[in-house]
Amino acid sequence: MREPGAPTFDQLSVFLAIVETGSFAGAARRLNRANSVVSYAIANLEAQLGLALFDRAAAKTPVLTEAGKVVLAQARVIAGDVAALRAQAKGLLQGLEAEVHLVLDVMLPTARVVDALRAFREAFPTVTLRLHVEGLGAVTQMVLDRRATVGIAGPLDVVNGGDELDYIAIGSTLLIPVAAPDHPLARGPNPPGAGRNHTQLVLTDRSKLTEGRDFAVASAHTWRLGDLGAKHILLKEGLGWGNMPEPMVREDIAAGRLVRLAMPELVEAPYALHAIYRGDTPPGPATGFLIERFRAQAD
């Protein structure tokens, strides 16, 4: 038994046109070809594959054989892949990025992330997105090291990139002190300095940019964690108190799993957010769209 040959994309396109129009004549009109040319292309396709794709004796209109139905499914996949390739090539010719590496500060509210990424997918379906999530200076470090095209980073005092980075303000998120309802600080109101005698859970920087620096640390007893999700879990388990993005703990507070602490020195604090990118690598169309989407959210 001989091996099947390799059909051409043109043959598959003719095959799909016949199926979609319901006739050889309809395919000829769509493709602006003679009927004989359409018939010849299908004959060659069947010869290449060694399969009969249409049961021409069944009716006046072409009816797919079982083999034809299988080939149809694959032909549609191939046509879709080629269409995607052409769209991506067109984008590249227009200066569109092939892919965007985006690094997000872990403090950025999930709703803002979902909104931006959904809009990005609709606007740039051919652009591959590489998404990373980091905290504090690690966001900046990825952009400085060119491992990310654009970052959504925290306040400027933890965006320590100097003249190499350009910044665009995109609003802020609110940090509030919280603890489990059975934590001593949850009984409140607390006098100034009450948090010093209780373990504070603190998010640490994976980079060296803020080494030796603390932000909103009010306790002499700390547990350092590199993951905000782990901090969230430990807070709910009553293993300490700490500052968290208000959107992330809103449901926990409403359900009584966490309590917003009354602490005079740490009532709440806005956590400023910035879109950052290297000054020597200005944003392309897709990157610029993401930055503008995050900026518009703040409005």
Side-chain angles (χ1 to χ4, degrees):
M1 182 179 69
R2 73 177 183 84
E3 292 292 322
T8 67
F9 181 68
D10 182 70
Q11 291 169 346
L12 294 176
S13 297
V14 172
F15 173 59
L16 288 171
I18 294 170
V19 174
E20 290 166 2
T21 62
S23 68
F24 280 63
R29 287 191 295 273
R30 173 185 286 187
L31 300 172
N32 196 26
R33 300 183 186 183
N35 285 1
S36 59
V37 174
V38 169
S39 297
Y40 183 71
I42 292 303
N44 282 342
L45 175 60
E46 290 178 321
Q48 286 281 0
L49 297 176
L51 299 169
L53 303 179
F54 294 104
D55 183 359
R56 294 169 179 80
K60 293 183 179 180
T61 58
V63 176
L64 286 171
T65 62
E66 290 303 313
K69 293 176 182 177
V70 173
V71 172
L72 174 62
Q74 291 300 315
R76 284 173 171 161
V77 171
I78 293 169
D81 288 344
V82 171
L85 174 61
R86 293 182 64 188
Q88 193 163 43
K90 181 180 179 181
L92 291 172
L93 289 171
Q94 296 172 341
L96 184 64
E97 306 96 310
E99 63 181 27
V100 172
H101 288 252
L102 171 65
V103 56
L104 302 177
D105 191 298
V106 70
M107 301 291 189
L108 184 67
T110 301
R112 295 188 64 177
V113 176
V114 172
D115 169 77
L117 297 190
R118 182 176 286 123
F120 179 85
R121 183 182 62 184
E122 293 174 359
F124 300 97
T126 65
V127 177
T128 299
L129 181 70
R130 310 289 185 188
L131 182 63
H132 313 268
V133 179
E134 287 289 354
L136 301 173
V139 177
T140 306
Q141 193 67 64
M142 285 197 69
V143 177
L144 286 172
D145 294 344
R146 303 184 190 275
R147 290 180 290 140
T149 316
V150 60
I152 303 301
L156 290 178
D157 57 356
V158 297
V159 180
N160 190 20
D163 295 335
E164 294 175 278
L165 296 180
D166 287 338
Y167 313 93
I168 298 175
I170 61 161
S172 63
T173 189
L174 195 64
L175 297 185
I176 61 173
V178 295
D182 58 353
H183 191 279
L185 293 176
R187 298 167 192 157
N190 296 292
R196 293 195 203 106
N197 299 319
H198 299 276
T199 301
Q200 182 178 357
L201 305 183
V202 179
L203 187 68
T204 58
D205 196 341
R206 298 180 197 268
S207 77
K208 300 291 187 181
L209 291 183
T210 61
E211 190 172 26
R213 299 170 62 193
D214 281 331
F215 302 93
V217 175
S219 176
H221 311 283
T222 60
W223 283 8
R224 309 283 173 153
L225 301 95
D227 181 80
L228 189 64
K231 179 179 176 180
H232 190 189
I233 292 171
L234 295 184
L235 285 168
K236 288 189 288 185
E237 293 297 327
L239 294 176
W241 70 274
N243 294 297
M244 290 290 288
E246 187 276 333
M248 189 172 183
V249 295
R250 188 177 299 157
E251 290 186 6
D252 292 313
I253 292 172
R257 292 185 293 267
L258 287 172
V259 173
R260 183 169 180 166
L261 301 179
M263 302 177 68
E265 71 273 34
L266 289 172
V267 177
E268 60 184 38
Y271 185 86
L273 293 162
H274 301 81
I276 63 172
Y277 55 91
R278 289 186 63 98
D280 58 4
T281 311
T287 304
F289 175 90
L290 274 173
I291 293 173
E292 176 56 27
R293 188 74 181 194
F294 282 118
R295 190 201 63 76
Q297 291 171 352
D299 294 339

